[in-house]
Amino acid sequence: MQKLPPHFVNWFAHKGWLLRPHQQAMLDAAAHGDDALLIAPTGGGKTLAGFLPSLIALSETAGAGLHTLYVSPLKALAADIARNLMIPAAEMKLDLRIETRSGDTSATQRARQRSDPPDILLTTPESLALLISQENAPEFFRTLKCVVVDEIHALAGTKRGDQLALCLARLSRLAPGLRKTGLSATVAHPDAMRAFLGPATKLIEAHDGTPPEISLLLPPGRIPWSGHMGLAAAQIVLEQIAHAAMTIVFVNTRAQAELMFQEIWKHNEANLPIALHHGSLDMGQRLKVEAAMAEGKLRAVIATSSLDLGIDWGGVTQVLQVGAPKGVSRLLQRIGRANHRMDEASKAVLVPANRFEVLECEAAIAGVAAGALDGDPPRPGGLDVLAQHIMGLACAAPFHPDDVYAEVTSAAPYRDLSRRDFDDVLQFVENGGYALAAYERYRKLFRDSEGYVYVANTRVARQHRMNIGTIVEAPTLKVRLVGKRGGFGTPLGEVEEYFVNMLTPGDTFMFAGRLLKYLRLRETIVEVTDGGTGEPKVPAYAGGRMPMTTNLADRVRAMLQNSAVWHLFPPDVREWLALQKYRSSLPGPDNLLVETFPRGGRWYMVAYCFEGRNAHQTLGMLLTKRMERFGYRPLGFVATDYVLATWSVNEPTDIAGLFEQDLLGDDLETWLAESSMLRRTFRQVAVIAGLIPRYQPGADKNRRQVTINSDLIYDVLRKHQPGHVLLRATRADAATGLTDISRIALLLQRAAGQLVHRALPRVSPLAVPVLLEIGRENVAAASSEDELLAEAMQQADDLLSAT
């Protein structure tokens, strides 16, 4: 057993702490040079356990170069951990340099770090990839002994995780004997996380902490049928805030955060200090909010996933989740922000925005109680990320393809990468591939007579370093207040370009917790003033909505069928489900319920799929194509997280034929060939792979240039090289990304032989919410909740009177 040095023993005693078993296990693993994955509840001392071996080693050997590298999904988390690490270092008088490195680090500090590395460096996957692409990477990482990957579950299985895995493989080559440590509180697939770090990684699990206390808070009056903003609950949310010392109110989108913030302040007569925090706000504003939280100056913060991960806000005593959590693991992650201590229960309150969300919230609470973490296992690594990485290696030094292939396949996401795929990716980086090789701009690498690969020139290397990263967001424009004399005032943050294109001077919109009046667009700056009149718009952001996980969807379907658990639901939800049971049927865990009924001169088809909005949108596009072929003359569709509804001129009769598994055959290929979604996916792949740079030395591309270039190249490749590596990468992304084809495949498999069709004379109770969504989309005659409910109730009465 590895013992603590005396000054560490004294420090623990001074704190009144005891070394926990999992912390001791981490010390023992480090002493044997083992890679380790630590899974421990929030507040269980994970961070200290991860860094303790390094602090002990550095207490004797500090100043000998970079010893420990910490990688976090968030810049803010890296900065927070750095501050927390400095406390024990100062209290034990350890002579250490602990620094952070991100896109916010000054050029002067970056240059100093390259020539004189700190003992511990805290960074992000993007900044690590940039460091690896530098010519001095072998010298910079030569002394590296340990890498700590925090919140590993948030990275593995994503493109950022692919990038990090490739970087870890390179670091293992540059620093033989490197020890890797992963930290997380919520891991659904431990074996996959272990493989991410290395094949011999040791799993260390802490004993569970105190179970969280989770309750449901319902808005006053009748629970809304539809809508996902939850604004009707603003008053009761404010009351919950008033009864706690500090609260984080989590919502699911940035638009929802803006609206909820405004709605809460309408009721905030006591002027409780309540702030707003999301990723599109100006960095300065976010830092002010975080500082105020740390100092205990706020009573609440309305936040998105920007505060999800393990930043230690010690004063937070309560978490509210407005809207359904969309996953058990995600809910646990958010709950862990409250009472950041292992031996005290974290308190959370779920506030569903509509009736389906009541079901989802109760299913999530049951999932937490059962410890049923969710999330898909990591998928194979992306070929576009591999292309970016190969380019980075060439920027650092010449390499031989055989060596790099062996290195790449040592990274878990690329373990099964074929040599053919590797060579195709390398050829693409080298010259763009067969269809693009004639163009000079795509010739980025060349080979010598011995087969070694070199970067073409310094400009290519500089362009690559400017474009490192796998996060491809929609183009944004900065929002600034105009001062009284016409000069620039406070920067407020960024909104997406498409939203600004919908504004005309004088329009009002809500952003950064303020009501703003749009003046003009000056170059890339949106100039605004406070105030304005009229109904304000709210910026929405692409990709902002997370779909419900498969695990949670399964639980919701099971609860619908099991009336023994309906006592968990409020009376009007129980009544709603009972009416549905009489009127039609309830969806089951192993079937697909589809209803058809006439209304307003049209025929509606409602499928209760529960596969998430992305999958339902793709399914809607495929179904309407097939409905055209079947002669049903579809007019449109709408998708929610729970159901898909179509409406058509003619009655859909062959429901089984519509949902045949061959829907993902020729119909899918035909749709994908025409789909703007696939073009958007290709655009993202092309940017990550370096085919279309977002930034160039001396100039930036605008959104229109990127779009036109990617669309032209997409058409050329489809015509002349349909097997191009980037088209293969695009199809792979389509399976789990915007189109979520993999979940549609599961749905169709479930429906085969288990499809339940109910042909009804009018709308069913369970279909009321989606018909209200159709009204909001202005694609059918708007109907009030009362009208729709009365219609559903009438059909139930007719059925009851006939029995």
Side-chain angles (χ1 to χ4, degrees), residues 517-800:
K517 179 181 178 181
Y518 172 62
L519 298 180
R520 68 188 71 86
L521 177 64
R522 181 178 294 179
E523 296 180 347
T524 60
I525 304 295
V526 180
E527 297 184 358
V528 299
T529 60
D530 278 316
T533 58
E535 186 68 23
K537 297 179 173 66
V538 181
Y541 298 84
R545 281 174 150 181
M546 298 290 292
M548 181 169 54
T549 62
T550 303
N551 171 42
L552 199 53
D554 291 344
R555 285 185 173 274
V556 171
R557 283 196 299 268
M559 293 180 86
L560 284 170
Q561 277 289 312
N562 183 12
S563 58
V565 301
W566 288 8
H567 68 276
L568 297 171
F569 306 143
D572 45 354
V573 172
R574 292 200 300 269
E575 180 187 6
W576 177 49
L577 298 182
L579 278 172
Q580 175 68 19
K581 190 173 182 179
Y582 278 117
R583 165 70 176 86
S584 173
S585 295
L586 285 164
D590 301 315
N591 66 18
L592 173 63
L593 172 64
V594 179
E595 297 174 339
T596 55
F597 51 85
R599 191 171 193 280
R602 295 174 179 176
W603 281 92
Y604 289 84
M605 179 175 71
V606 179
Y608 299 91
C609 309
F610 293 92
E611 294 297 344
R613 188 178 301 269
N614 289 346
H616 293 169
Q617 286 178 335
T618 301
L619 181 60
M621 294 176 186
L622 295 174
L623 279 176
T624 50
K625 291 283 185 185
R626 181 164 283 192
M627 289 173 75
E628 285 177 9
R629 290 214 322 272
F630 282 22
Y632 300 144
R633 297 175 63 188
L635 299 172
F637 73 90
V638 69
T640 72
D641 255 344
Y642 313 103
V643 303
L644 166 69
T646 68
W647 54 99
S648 56
V649 173
N650 298 326
E651 178 184 3
T653 53
D654 186 5
I655 305 301
L658 287 175
F659 287 89
E660 284 282 356
Q661 292 190 63
D662 64 0
L663 187 68
L664 295 184
D666 292 341
D667 286 308
L668 176 64
E669 289 302 317
T670 301
W671 174 71
L672 286 178
E674 305 168 355
S675 170
S676 61
M677 282 176 135
L678 206 68
R679 288 179 180 271
R680 195 190 321 169
T681 302
F682 175 80
R683 196 175 306 143
Q684 294 172 342
V685 165
V687 167
I688 292 171
L691 181 69
I692 302 174
R694 287 168 288 185
Y695 311 104
Q696 298 195 54
D700 290 350
K701 278 187 179 292
N702 63 36
R703 179 192 182 196
R704 181 171 175 78
Q705 289 173 311
V706 170
T707 301
I708 291 174
N709 285 357
S710 68
D711 285 351
L712 287 173
I713 295 171
Y714 178 72
D715 291 335
V716 167
L717 293 182
R718 281 187 55 225
K719 181 177 181 180
H720 297 289
Q721 195 179 355
H724 192 278
V725 66
L726 293 195
L727 292 182
R728 285 164 18 213
T730 299
R731 294 187 193 102
D733 278 6
T736 56
L738 289 171
T739 57
D740 218 349
I741 294 168
S742 59
R743 289 190 69 169
I744 299 175
L746 291 174
L747 163 70
L748 297 178
Q749 184 179 353
R750 189 171 75 244
Q754 294 290 328
L755 192 147
V756 178
H757 175 212
R758 293 287 181 261
L760 306 174
R762 55 175 67 89
V763 60
S764 73
L766 217 58
V768 169
V770 75
L771 259 67
L772 289 168
E773 293 287 342
I774 291 173
R776 287 190 179 90
E777 297 289 339
N778 295 320
V779 293
S783 299
S784 71
E785 292 183 6
D786 291 336
E787 289 173 344
L788 286 167
L789 181 59
E791 188 174 333
M793 289 282 287
Q794 178 61 49
Q795 182 56 26
D797 291 342
D798 292 347
L799 185 64
L800 286 169

Side-chain angles (χ1 to χ4, degrees), residues 1 59 66 94 114 127 132 186 275 294 321 344 359-360 456 500 529 533 536 571 576 630 634 642 736 768 782:
M1 180 181 290
S59 67
L66 179 63
L94 304 180
R114 281 197 297 270
S127 291
I132 283 175
T186 52
Q321 167 69 45
E344 292 187 22
L359 308 180
E360 185 180 337
V500 179
T529 60
T533 58
W576 177 49
F630 282 22
Y642 313 103
T736 56
V768 169

Side-chain angles (χ1 to χ4, degrees), residues 244-320:
M246 186 188 296
T247 302
I248 299 180
V249 180
F250 279 114
V251 296
N252 291 333
T253 67
R254 285 168 277 188
Q256 187 183 6
E258 293 281 353
L259 288 167
M260 180 57 69
F261 179 77
Q262 291 284 347
E263 197 67 23
I264 284 177
W265 267 99
K266 288 180 184 177
H267 300 282
N268 189 13
E269 295 177 358
N271 283 322
L272 298 177
I274 300 172
L276 177 67
H277 192 289
H278 61 70
S280 292
L281 298 180
D282 180 70
M283 174 65 73
Q285 182 167 338
R286 278 181 281 155
L287 291 175
K288 286 179 182 177
V289 172
E290 292 165 16
M293 287 181 70
E295 295 167 11
K297 294 180 178 179
L298 296 176
R299 295 294 297 277
V301 177
I302 316 300
T304 61
S305 56
S306 58
L307 292 183
D308 264 11
L309 298 178
I311 299 176
D312 185 3
W313 308 117
V316 176
T317 56
Q318 174 183 245
V319 162
L320 270 66

Side-chain angles (χ1 to χ4, degrees), residues 351-366:
V351 188
N354 61 55
R355 298 187 177 208
F356 271 117
E357 288 195 352
V358 171
L359 308 180
E360 185 180 337
C361 286
E362 288 290 1
I365 292 172

Side-chain angles (χ1 to χ4, degrees), residues 22 36 87 109 120 139 156 191 226 260 292 317 328 342 389 415 446 456 474 488 505 675 682 705 707 721 798:
H22 59 275
I87 294 172
Q109 187 175 359
I120 299 176
E139 179 61 23
D191 289 342
S226 63
M260 180 57 69
T317 56
V328 175
M342 188 175 177
H389 182 71
R415 179 180 54 226
F446 68 90
F488 284 145
S675 170
F682 175 80
Q705 289 173 311
T707 301
Q721 195 179 355
D798 292 347

